[in-house]
Coordinates of all heavy atoms in Angstrom, one line a residue:
M1 N -39.1 -25.6 -6.8 CA -38.6 -24.3 -6.7 C -37.1 -24.4 -6.4 O -36.6 -25.1 -5.5 CB -39.2 -23.5 -5.5 CG -40.6 -23.1 -5.9 SD -40.7 -21.9 -7.2 CE -40.1 -20.4 -6.3
S2 N -36.3 -23.7 -7.2 CA -34.8 -23.7 -6.9 C -34.3 -22.3 -6.7 O -34.7 -21.3 -7.4 CB -34.1 -24.4 -8.1 OG -34.3 -23.7 -9.3
K3 N -33.3 -22.2 -5.9 CA -32.7 -20.9 -5.6 C -31.8 -20.5 -6.8 O -31.3 -21.4 -7.6 CB -31.8 -21.0 -4.4 CG -31.9 -19.8 -3.4 CD -31.1 -20.1 -2.2 CE -30.1 -18.9 -2.0 NZ -29.1 -19.3 -1.0
T4 N -31.5 -19.3 -7.1 CA -30.6 -18.9 -8.1 C -29.2 -19.3 -7.8 O -28.6 -18.9 -6.8 CB -30.6 -17.3 -8.3 OG1 -32.0 -16.9 -8.4 CG2 -29.8 -16.9 -9.5
G5 N -28.6 -20.1 -8.7 CA -27.2 -20.6 -8.5 C -26.3 -19.5 -8.9 O -26.6 -18.6 -9.6
R6 N -25.0 -19.6 -8.4 CA -24.0 -18.6 -8.7 C -23.6 -18.6 -10.2 O -23.2 -17.6 -10.7 CB -22.8 -18.9 -7.8 CG -23.1 -18.7 -6.3 CD -21.9 -18.8 -5.5 NE -21.0 -17.6 -5.7 CZ -19.7 -17.7 -6.1 NH1 -19.2 -18.8 -6.3 NH2 -19.0 -16.6 -6.2
N7 N -23.8 -19.8 -10.8 CA -23.4 -19.8 -12.2 C -24.6 -19.7 -13.2 O -24.5 -19.7 -14.4 CB -22.7 -21.2 -12.5 CG -21.3 -21.2 -11.9 OD1 -20.5 -20.3 -12.2 ND2 -21.0 -22.2 -11.1
D8 N -25.8 -19.5 -12.6 CA -27.0 -19.2 -13.4 C -27.1 -17.8 -13.8 O -26.4 -16.9 -13.2 CB -28.3 -19.6 -12.6 CG -28.3 -21.1 -12.3 OD1 -27.7 -21.9 -13.0 OD2 -29.0 -21.5 -11.3
L9 N -27.9 -17.5 -14.8 CA -28.1 -16.1 -15.3 C -28.7 -15.3 -14.2 O -29.6 -15.8 -13.5 CB -28.9 -16.1 -16.5 CG -28.2 -16.6 -17.8 CD1 -29.2 -16.5 -19.0 CD2 -27.0 -15.8 -18.1
C10 N -28.3 -14.1 -14.0 CA -28.8 -13.3 -12.9 C -30.3 -13.0 -13.2 O -30.7 -12.8 -14.3 CB -28.0 -12.0 -12.9 SG -28.4 -11.0 -11.4
T11 N -31.0 -12.9 -12.1 CA -32.5 -12.6 -12.1 C -32.8 -11.2 -12.6 O -33.9 -10.9 -12.9 CB -33.1 -12.9 -10.8 OG1 -32.3 -12.2 -9.8 CG2 -33.1 -14.4 -10.5
C12 N -31.8 -10.3 -12.6 CA -32.0 -8.9 -12.9 C -32.2 -8.7 -14.4 O -32.5 -7.6 -14.9 CB -31.0 -8.0 -12.4 SG -29.4 -8.0 -13.2
G13 N -31.8 -9.8 -15.2 CA -32.0 -9.7 -16.6 C -30.8 -9.0 -17.4 O -30.9 -8.6 -18.5
S14 N -29.6 -9.0 -16.7 CA -28.5 -8.3 -17.4 C -27.8 -9.3 -18.4 O -27.0 -8.9 -19.2 CB -27.5 -7.9 -16.3 OG -26.9 -9.1 -15.7
G15 N -28.1 -10.6 -18.3 CA -27.5 -11.6 -19.1 C -26.2 -12.1 -18.6 O -25.6 -12.9 -19.2
R16 N -25.8 -11.6 -17.5 CA -24.5 -12.0 -16.9 C -24.8 -13.1 -15.8 O -26.0 -13.2 -15.3 CB -23.8 -10.9 -16.2 CG -23.3 -9.9 -17.3 CD -22.2 -9.0 -16.7 NE -22.8 -8.0 -15.7 CZ -22.1 -7.2 -15.0 NH1 -20.8 -7.2 -15.2 NH2 -22.6 -6.4 -14.2
K17 N -23.8 -13.8 -15.4 CA -24.0 -14.8 -14.3 C -24.2 -14.1 -13.0 O -23.6 -13.0 -12.8 CB -22.8 -15.7 -14.3 CG -22.8 -16.7 -15.4 CD -21.6 -17.6 -15.4 CE -21.7 -18.6 -16.6 NZ -20.5 -19.5 -16.6
Y18 N -25.0 -14.7 -12.2 CA -25.3 -14.1 -10.9 C -24.1 -13.8 -10.1 O -24.0 -12.7 -9.5 CB -26.2 -15.1 -10.1 CG -26.6 -14.6 -8.7 CD1 -27.3 -13.5 -8.5 CD2 -26.2 -15.4 -7.6 CE1 -27.7 -13.1 -7.3 CE2 -26.5 -14.9 -6.3 CZ -27.3 -13.8 -6.2 OH -27.6 -13.4 -4.9
K19 N -23.1 -14.7 -10.1 CA -21.9 -14.4 -9.3 C -21.1 -13.2 -9.8 O -20.3 -12.6 -9.0 CB -21.0 -15.7 -9.2 CG -20.4 -16.0 -10.6 CD -19.5 -17.2 -10.5 CE -18.9 -17.6 -11.9 NZ -18.0 -18.8 -11.8
K20 N -21.3 -12.9 -11.1 CA -20.6 -11.7 -11.6 C -21.4 -10.5 -11.6 O -21.0 -9.4 -12.1 CB -20.1 -12.0 -13.1 CG -19.2 -13.2 -13.2 CD -17.9 -12.7 -13.8 CE -16.9 -13.9 -13.9 NZ -15.5 -13.4 -14.2
C21 N -22.7 -10.6 -11.2 CA -23.6 -9.5 -11.3 C -24.1 -9.1 -9.9 O -23.4 -8.4 -9.2 CB -24.8 -9.9 -12.2 SG -25.8 -8.5 -12.6
C22 N -25.2 -9.5 -9.5 CA -25.9 -9.0 -8.3 C -25.5 -9.7 -7.0 O -26.0 -9.3 -5.9 CB -27.4 -9.0 -8.5 SG -27.9 -7.8 -9.7
E23 N -24.7 -10.8 -7.1 CA -24.4 -11.5 -5.8 C -23.8 -10.6 -4.8 O -24.2 -10.6 -3.6 CB -23.5 -12.7 -6.1 CG -23.3 -13.6 -4.9 CD -22.1 -14.5 -5.1 OE1 -21.1 -14.2 -5.6 OE2 -22.3 -15.7 -4.7
S24 N -22.9 -9.8 -5.1 CA -22.2 -8.9 -4.1 C -23.2 -7.9 -3.6 O -23.1 -7.5 -2.4 CB -21.0 -8.2 -4.8 OG -21.4 -7.5 -5.9
K25 N -24.1 -7.5 -4.5 CA -25.1 -6.5 -4.0 C -26.1 -7.1 -3.1 O -26.6 -6.5 -2.1 CB -25.9 -5.9 -5.2 CG -25.0 -4.9 -6.0 CD -25.9 -4.3 -7.2 CE -25.2 -4.7 -8.5 NZ -26.1 -4.4 -9.6
D26 N -26.4 -8.4 -3.3 CA -27.4 -9.1 -2.5 C -26.8 -9.4 -1.1 O -27.6 -9.4 -0.1 CB -27.9 -10.4 -3.2 CG -28.8 -10.1 -4.4 OD1 -29.2 -8.9 -4.6 OD2 -29.0 -11.0 -5.1
R27 N -25.6 -9.7 -1.1 CA -25.0 -10.0 0.2 C -24.9 -8.8 1.1 O -24.4 -7.7 0.7 CB -23.5 -10.6 0.0 CG -23.5 -12.1 -0.1 CD -22.1 -12.6 -0.2 NE -21.4 -12.1 -1.4 CZ -20.2 -12.4 -1.6 NH1 -19.4 -13.1 -0.8 NH2 -19.6 -11.9 -2.7
S28 N -25.4 -8.9 2.3 CA -25.5 -7.8 3.2 C -24.1 -7.5 3.8 O -23.3 -8.4 4.1 CB -26.4 -8.0 4.4 OG -26.1 -9.2 5.0
G29 N -23.7 -6.2 3.9 CA -22.4 -5.8 4.4 C -21.3 -5.9 3.4 O -20.2 -5.7 3.8
G30 N -21.6 -6.2 2.2 CA -20.6 -6.3 1.2 C -19.8 -4.9 1.0 O -18.6 -4.9 1.0
A31 N -20.6 -3.9 0.8 CA -20.0 -2.5 0.6 C -19.3 -2.1 1.9 O -18.2 -1.5 1.8 CB -21.1 -1.5 0.3
R32 N -19.8 -2.5 3.0 CA -19.3 -2.0 4.3 C -17.9 -2.6 4.5 O -16.9 -2.0 4.9 CB -20.2 -2.5 5.5 CG -20.1 -1.5 6.6 CD -21.1 -1.9 7.7 NE -22.5 -2.0 7.2 CZ -23.4 -2.8 7.8 NH1 -23.1 -3.4 8.9 NH2 -24.6 -2.8 7.4
S33 N -17.7 -3.9 4.1 CA -16.4 -4.6 4.3 C -15.4 -4.0 3.3 O -14.2 -3.9 3.7 CB -16.6 -6.1 4.0 OG -16.8 -6.3 2.7
T34 N -15.9 -3.5 2.2 CA -14.9 -2.9 1.2 C -14.4 -1.6 1.9 O -13.2 -1.3 1.8 CB -15.7 -2.6 -0.1 OG1 -16.2 -3.8 -0.6 CG2 -14.7 -2.0 -1.1
I35 N -15.3 -0.8 2.5 CA -14.9 0.4 3.1 C -13.9 0.1 4.3 O -12.9 0.8 4.4 CB -16.1 1.2 3.7 CG1 -16.9 1.8 2.5 CG2 -15.7 2.3 4.6 CD1 -18.4 2.1 2.9
M36 N -14.2 -0.9 5.0 CA -13.3 -1.3 6.1 C -11.9 -1.7 5.5 O -10.9 -1.3 6.1 CB -13.8 -2.6 6.8 CG -14.8 -2.2 7.9 SD -14.0 -1.3 9.3 CE -13.0 -2.6 10.0
M37 N -11.9 -2.4 4.4 CA -10.6 -2.8 3.8 C -9.8 -1.5 3.4 O -8.6 -1.4 3.6 CB -10.9 -3.6 2.5 CG -11.3 -5.0 2.8 SD -9.9 -6.1 3.0 CE -9.5 -6.3 1.2
I38 N -10.5 -0.5 2.9 CA -9.8 0.7 2.4 C -9.3 1.4 3.7 O -8.2 2.0 3.7 CB -10.8 1.6 1.6 CG1 -11.1 1.0 0.3 CG2 -10.2 3.0 1.5 CD1 -12.4 1.5 -0.4
A39 N -10.1 1.5 4.8 CA -9.7 2.1 6.0 C -8.5 1.5 6.6 O -7.5 2.2 7.0 CB -10.8 2.1 7.0
V40 N -8.5 0.2 6.6 CA -7.3 -0.6 7.2 C -6.1 -0.4 6.3 O -5.0 -0.1 6.8 CB -7.7 -2.1 7.3 CG1 -6.4 -2.9 7.6 CG2 -8.7 -2.3 8.4
G41 N -6.3 -0.4 5.0 CA -5.2 -0.2 4.1 C -4.6 1.2 4.2 O -3.4 1.4 4.2
G42 N -5.5 2.2 4.4 CA -5.0 3.6 4.6 C -4.2 3.7 5.9 O -3.2 4.4 5.9
A43 N -4.7 3.1 7.0 CA -4.0 3.2 8.3 C -2.6 2.5 8.2 O -1.6 3.0 8.7 CB -4.8 2.5 9.3
L44 N -2.6 1.4 7.4 CA -1.3 0.7 7.3 C -0.3 1.5 6.5 O 0.8 1.6 6.8 CB -1.6 -0.6 6.5 CG -0.8 -1.8 6.9 CD1 -1.1 -2.3 8.2 CD2 -0.9 -2.9 5.8
L45 N -0.8 2.2 5.4 CA 0.0 3.1 4.6 C 0.5 4.2 5.4 O 1.7 4.6 5.3 CB -0.8 3.6 3.4 CG -0.5 2.8 2.1 CD1 -1.7 3.0 1.2 CD2 0.7 3.3 1.5
A46 N -0.3 4.8 6.3 CA 0.1 5.9 7.1 C 1.2 5.5 8.1 O 2.2 6.2 8.3 CB -1.1 6.5 7.9
A47 N 1.0 4.3 8.7 CA 2.0 3.8 9.6 C 3.3 3.6 8.9 O 4.4 3.9 9.5 CB 1.5 2.5 10.2
L48 N 3.2 3.1 7.7 CA 4.4 2.8 6.9 C 5.1 4.1 6.6 O 6.4 4.2 6.7 CB 4.0 2.1 5.6 CG 5.0 1.2 5.0 CD1 5.1 -0.1 5.8 CD2 4.7 0.8 3.6
A49 N 4.4 5.1 6.2 CA 4.9 6.5 5.9 C 5.7 7.0 7.1 O 6.8 7.6 7.0 CB 3.8 7.4 5.4
V50 N 5.1 6.9 8.3 CA 5.7 7.4 9.5 C 7.0 6.7 9.8 O 8.0 7.3 10.2 CB 4.7 7.3 10.7 CG1 5.4 7.5 12.0 CG2 3.5 8.2 10.6
G51 N 6.9 5.4 9.6 CA 8.1 4.5 9.8 C 9.3 5.0 8.9 O 10.4 5.1 9.3
I52 N 8.9 5.2 7.6 CA 10.0 5.6 6.6 C 10.5 7.0 7.0 O 11.7 7.2 7.0 CB 9.4 5.7 5.2 CG1 9.1 4.2 4.7 CG2 10.3 6.4 4.2 CD1 8.2 4.1 3.5
A53 N 9.6 7.9 7.5 CA 10.0 9.3 7.8 C 11.0 9.2 9.0 O 12.0 9.9 9.0 CB 8.8 10.1 8.2
S54 N 10.7 8.4 10.0 CA 11.6 8.4 11.2 C 12.9 7.7 10.8 O 13.9 8.1 11.3 CB 10.9 7.6 12.3 OG 10.7 6.2 11.9
F55 N 12.8 6.8 9.9 CA 14.1 6.1 9.5 C 15.0 7.1 8.7 O 16.2 7.1 9.0 CB 13.7 4.9 8.5 CG 14.9 4.2 8.0 CD1 15.6 3.4 8.8 CD2 15.2 4.3 6.6 CE1 16.7 2.7 8.3 CE2 16.3 3.6 6.1 CZ 17.1 2.8 7.0
T56 N 14.4 7.9 7.8 CA 15.3 8.8 7.0 C 15.8 9.9 7.9 O 16.9 10.3 7.7 CB 14.5 9.4 5.9 OG1 13.2 9.8 6.3 CG2 14.3 8.4 4.7
S57 N 15.0 10.4 8.9 CA 15.4 11.5 9.8 C 16.6 10.9 10.7 O 17.5 11.7 11.0 CB 14.3 12.0 10.6 OG 13.8 11.0 11.5
E58 N 16.5 9.7 11.0 CA 17.6 9.1 11.8 C 18.9 9.1 11.0 O 19.9 9.4 11.5 CB 17.2 7.6 12.1 CG 17.2 7.3 13.6 CD 16.6 5.9 13.9 OE1 17.3 5.0 13.6 OE2 15.5 5.9 14.3
R59 N 18.7 8.7 9.7 CA 19.9 8.7 8.9 C 20.5 10.1 8.7 O 21.8 10.2 8.6 CB 19.5 8.1 7.5 CG 19.5 6.6 7.5 CD 19.0 6.0 6.2 NE 20.0 6.4 5.1 CZ 21.0 5.6 4.8 NH1 21.3 4.5 5.5 NH2 21.8 6.0 3.8
S60 N 19.7 11.1 8.5 CA 20.2 12.4 8.3 C 20.7 13.1 9.5 O 21.2 14.2 9.5 CB 19.1 13.3 7.6 OG 18.0 13.5 8.6
G61 N 20.7 12.4 10.7 CA 21.2 12.9 11.9 C 22.7 12.9 12.0 O 23.2 13.0 13.1
G62 N 23.4 12.6 11.0 CA 24.8 12.7 11.0 C 25.5 11.4 10.7 O 26.7 11.3 10.6
A63 N 24.7 10.3 10.5 CA 25.2 9.0 10.3 C 25.7 8.8 8.9 O 26.6 8.0 8.6 CB 24.2 7.9 10.7
T64 N 25.1 9.5 8.0 CA 25.4 9.4 6.6 C 26.7 10.2 6.2 O 26.6 11.4 6.0 CB 24.3 9.8 5.7 OG1 23.1 9.2 6.2 CG2 24.5 9.3 4.2
R65 N 27.8 9.5 6.1 CA 29.1 10.1 5.7 C 29.7 9.3 4.7 O 29.7 8.1 4.7 CB 30.0 10.3 6.9 CG 29.5 11.3 7.9 CD 30.6 11.7 8.9 NE 31.2 10.6 9.6 CZ 32.2 10.7 10.5 NH1 32.8 11.9 10.7 NH2 32.6 9.7 11.1
V66 N 30.3 9.9 3.7 CA 31.0 9.2 2.7 C 32.5 9.6 2.7 O 32.8 10.8 2.6 CB 30.4 9.5 1.3 CG1 31.1 8.7 0.2 CG2 28.9 9.3 1.3
W67 N 33.4 8.6 2.8 CA 34.8 8.9 2.8 C 35.3 9.1 1.4 O 35.1 8.4 0.5 CB 35.5 7.7 3.5 CG 37.0 7.9 3.5 CD1 37.9 7.3 2.6 CD2 37.8 8.8 4.3 NE1 39.2 7.7 2.9 CE2 39.1 8.6 3.9 CE3 37.4 9.6 5.4 CZ2 40.2 9.3 4.6 CZ3 38.5 10.3 6.0 CH2 39.8 10.2 5.6
S68 N 36.0 10.3 1.2 CA 36.6 10.6 -0.1 C 38.1 10.3 0.0 O 38.8 11.0 0.7 CB 36.3 12.1 -0.4 OG 37.0 12.4 -1.6
T69 N 38.5 9.3 -0.7 CA 39.9 9.0 -0.7 C 40.7 10.0 -1.5 O 41.9 10.3 -1.1 CB 40.2 7.6 -1.4 OG1 39.4 7.5 -2.6 CG2 39.7 6.4 -0.5
A70 N 40.1 10.7 -2.4 CA 40.8 11.7 -3.2 C 41.1 12.9 -2.3 O 42.1 13.6 -2.5 CB 40.0 12.1 -4.4
H71 N 40.1 13.3 -1.5 CA 40.3 14.5 -0.6 C 40.9 14.2 0.7 O 41.4 15.1 1.4 CB 38.9 15.1 -0.4 CG 38.3 15.7 -1.7 ND1 37.2 16.5 -1.8 CD2 38.7 15.6 -3.0 CE1 36.9 16.8 -3.0 NE2 37.8 16.3 -3.8
G72 N 40.8 12.9 1.2 CA 41.3 12.6 2.5 C 40.5 13.0 3.6 O 40.9 13.2 4.7
H73 N 39.1 13.2 3.4 CA 38.2 13.5 4.5 C 36.8 13.1 4.1 O 36.6 12.6 3.0 CB 38.3 15.0 4.8 CG 38.0 15.9 3.6 ND1 38.6 17.1 3.4 CD2 37.1 15.7 2.5 CE1 38.2 17.6 2.2 NE2 37.3 16.8 1.7
Y74 N 35.9 13.2 5.1 CA 34.5 12.8 4.9 C 33.7 13.8 4.2 O 33.9 15.0 4.4 CB 33.8 12.5 6.2 CG 34.3 11.1 6.8 CD1 35.1 11.1 7.9 CD2 33.7 10.0 6.3 CE1 35.5 9.9 8.4 CE2 34.1 8.7 6.8 CZ 35.0 8.7 7.9 OH 35.3 7.5 8.4
H75 N 32.8 13.4 3.3 CA 31.7 14.2 2.8 C 30.4 13.8 3.4 O 30.2 12.6 3.5 CB 31.7 14.1 1.3 CG 32.8 14.7 0.5 ND1 32.8 14.9 -0.8 CD2 34.0 15.2 1.0 CE1 34.0 15.5 -1.2 NE2 34.7 15.7 -0.1
D76 N 29.5 14.7 3.7 CA 28.2 14.3 4.2 C 27.2 14.0 3.1 O 27.6 14.1 1.9 CB 27.7 15.3 5.2 CG 27.2 16.6 4.6 OD1 27.1 16.7 3.4 OD2 26.8 17.5 5.4
A77 N 26.0 13.7 3.4 CA 25.0 13.3 2.4 C 24.7 14.4 1.4 O 24.4 14.1 0.2 CB 23.7 12.9 3.1
N78 N 24.9 15.6 1.7 CA 24.6 16.7 0.8 C 25.8 17.1 0.0 O 25.8 18.0 -0.8 CB 24.1 18.0 1.6 CG 22.9 17.7 2.4 OD1 22.0 17.0 1.9 ND2 22.8 18.1 3.6
G79 N 26.9 16.4 0.1 CA 28.1 16.7 -0.6 C 29.0 17.7 0.0 O 30.0 18.2 -0.6
M80 N 28.6 18.2 1.2 CA 29.4 19.2 1.9 C 30.6 18.5 2.5 O 30.6 17.4 2.9 CB 28.5 19.8 3.1 CG 27.3 20.5 2.6 SD 27.7 22.1 1.7 CE 28.3 23.1 3.1
E81 N 31.7 19.3 2.6 CA 32.9 18.8 3.1 C 33.0 18.8 4.7 O 32.5 19.8 5.2 CB 34.1 19.5 2.5 CG 34.2 19.4 1.0 CD 35.5 19.8 0.5 OE1 36.3 20.4 1.2 OE2 35.7 19.6 -0.7
I82 N 33.4 17.7 5.3 CA 33.6 17.7 6.7 C 35.1 17.7 7.0 O 35.7 16.7 6.7 CB 32.9 16.5 7.3 CG1 31.4 16.4 7.0 CG2 33.1 16.4 8.8 CD1 30.7 15.1 7.2
P83 N 35.6 18.7 7.6 CA 37.1 18.8 7.8 C 37.6 17.7 8.8 O 36.8 17.4 9.7 CB 37.4 20.2 8.3 CG 36.1 20.8 8.6 CD 35.0 19.9 8.0
Ligands
LIG101 ZN1 -27.9 -8.8 -11.7
LIG102 ZN1 36.3 17.0 -0.3

């Protein structure tokens, strides 16, 4: 008696190799770990978004000024003139 190898044809009769077919389904907790990965990824993305938001709001707090040599004064990020 031999166990189904990962490179043997799957026992479900799909004609595909076991490792490409039912192996993930047979392994317990496979789907659960995928959900965990998505949850962690989502949390990471949310944290990143918050970081970017705080960064941009910091910049728009008056730090972004562009010196105009033609006009002889600063322009802010919106192109408004600062006397
Ligand atoms: Zn299968
Ligand atoms: Zn100007």
Side-chain angles (χ1 to χ4, degrees):
M1 286 296 285
S2 63
K3 226 176 120 193
T4 309
R6 295 187 69 237
N7 288 305
D8 294 339
L9 288 178
C10 190
T11 50
C12 77
S14 66
R16 293 195 292 175
K17 286 179 179 177
Y18 176 62
K19 66 177 179 181
K20 297 242 181 195
C21 190
C22 291
E23 186 190 44
S24 56
K25 283 182 244 167
D26 288 350
R27 269 186 295 176
S28 57
R32 214 177 303 158
S33 70
T34 306
I35 289 161
M36 274 295 289
M37 286 272 283
I38 291 163
V40 169
L44 213 73
L45 260 158
L48 211 74
V50 169
I52 290 164
S54 67
F55 178 70
T56 47
S57 66
E58 235 172 76
R59 276 176 65 87
S60 64
T64 313
R65 291 197 299 179
V66 182
W67 177 255
S68 173
T69 46
H71 293 187
H73 55 217
Y74 282 105
H75 288 192
D76 73 7
N78 300 318
M80 295 290 288
E81 298 197 351
I82 302 166

